[in-house]
């Protein structure tokens, strides 16, 4: 019985024989899943590999009863997206995917507002979330897929900038020659007002 395999494994040697000592033929029953290369099981993609061993006989021996063995080819380890630290913006935030790989198909969604992806730069892609209200949060979900690999998924949450309000008390009327008038002002963000 062949061992289970994982996508990316080297071809698996197969053990087979006939008590007639005649040569045995190995055939893949679904070449879209696996094939036979130099009498070894070769992975094409994930799924159930089915291989039949047969011997058609000769002038002395009748054809042997064929024997079929099946085994599973599992997906390779998924690529789980990783992210940098989000940066707040007016109405959203930006954050970078830090392990982008162009061998995978990537897709992005966001729990509120909208998300767009910039052009890849090496292993980095900048994601931009827009359409959030003041101080609102949203979670981006990034998904990866690739033939022969398990699907990967990662999330990151960020928050939009918070609106602030300036309070500026109306100054009193002044007369030329008056001393400088103190002004009263503040921001509810506690940031300095200019």
């Amino acid at each position: 019985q062949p061992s289970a395999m994982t996508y990316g494994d080297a071809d698996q040697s197969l053990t087979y024989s006939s008590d007639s000592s005649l040569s045995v033929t190995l055939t893949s029953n679904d070449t879209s899943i696996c094939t036979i290369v130099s009498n070894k099981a070769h992975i094409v993609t994930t799924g159930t590999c089915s291989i039949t061993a047969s011997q058609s006989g000769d002038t002395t021996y009748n054809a042997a009863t064929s024997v079929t063995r099946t085994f599973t080819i599992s997906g390779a380890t998924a690529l789980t997206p990783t992210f940098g630290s989000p940066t707040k913006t007016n109405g959203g935030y930006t954050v970078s995917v830090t392990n982008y790989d162009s061998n995978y198909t990537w897709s992005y969604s966001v729990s509120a507002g909208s998300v767009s992806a910039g052009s890849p730069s090496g292993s980095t892609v900048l994601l931009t979330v827009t359409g959030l209200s003041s101080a609102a949060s949203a979670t981006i979900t990034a998904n990866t897929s690739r033939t022969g690999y398990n699907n990967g998924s990662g999330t990151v949450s960020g928050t939009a900038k918070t609106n602030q309000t300036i309070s500026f008390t109306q100054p009193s009327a002044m007369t030329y020659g008056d001393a400088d008038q103190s002004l009263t002002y503040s921001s509810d963000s506690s940031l300095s007002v200019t």
Side-chain angles (χ1 to χ4, degrees):
Q1 172 64 40
S3 301
M5 300 179 72
T6 299
Y7 187 86
D9 284 352
D11 294 350
Q12 179 178 182
S13 296
L14 302 172
T15 302
Y16 53 92
S17 64
S18 168
D19 57 6
S20 68
S21 298
L22 296 174
S23 59
V24 174
T25 299
L26 300 175
T27 305
S28 169
N29 298 311
D30 187 347
T31 55
S32 68
I33 302 295
C34 62
T35 59
I36 302 299
V37 176
S38 300
N39 291 326
K40 295 181 179 181
H42 174 77
I43 294 171
V44 176
T45 190
T46 58
T48 299
C49 178
S50 174
I51 295 174
T52 297
S54 59
Q55 213 304 311
S56 59
D58 63 5
T59 56
T60 302
Y61 290 94
N62 291 321
T65 300
S66 295
V67 178
T68 298
R69 295 285 184 255
T70 60
F71 58 94
T72 299
I73 300 172
S74 301
T77 302
L79 175 65
T80 300
T82 58
F83 305 90
S85 298
T87 299
K88 295 180 180 183
T89 62
N90 183 18
Y93 65 93
T94 60
V95 66
S96 291
V97 172
T98 56
N99 64 338
Y100 178 82
D101 185 335
S102 61
N103 291 309
Y104 293 78
T105 298
W106 292 73
S107 63
Y108 308 98
S109 61
V110 67
S111 60
S114 59
V115 62
S116 60
S119 298
S121 177
S123 62
T124 301
V125 172
L126 183 67
L127 305 181
T128 300
V129 173
T130 57
L132 301 184
S133 57
S134 171
S137 297
T139 299
I140 294 172
T141 300
N143 296 303
T144 62
S145 61
R146 179 180 178 183
T147 299
Y149 287 72
N150 294 322
N151 293 334
S153 182
T155 60
V156 62
S157 295
T159 305
K161 284 186 176 182
T162 302
N163 292 338
Q164 62 173 323
T165 301
I166 291 176
S167 175
F168 185 13
T169 302
Q170 174 63 42
S172 302
M174 299 179 71
T175 299
Y176 185 82
D178 284 353
D180 293 346
Q181 178 180 181
S182 296
L183 302 174
T184 303
Y185 53 89
S186 64
S187 168
D188 58 4
S189 68
S190 299
L191 296 174
S192 297
V193 176
T194 301

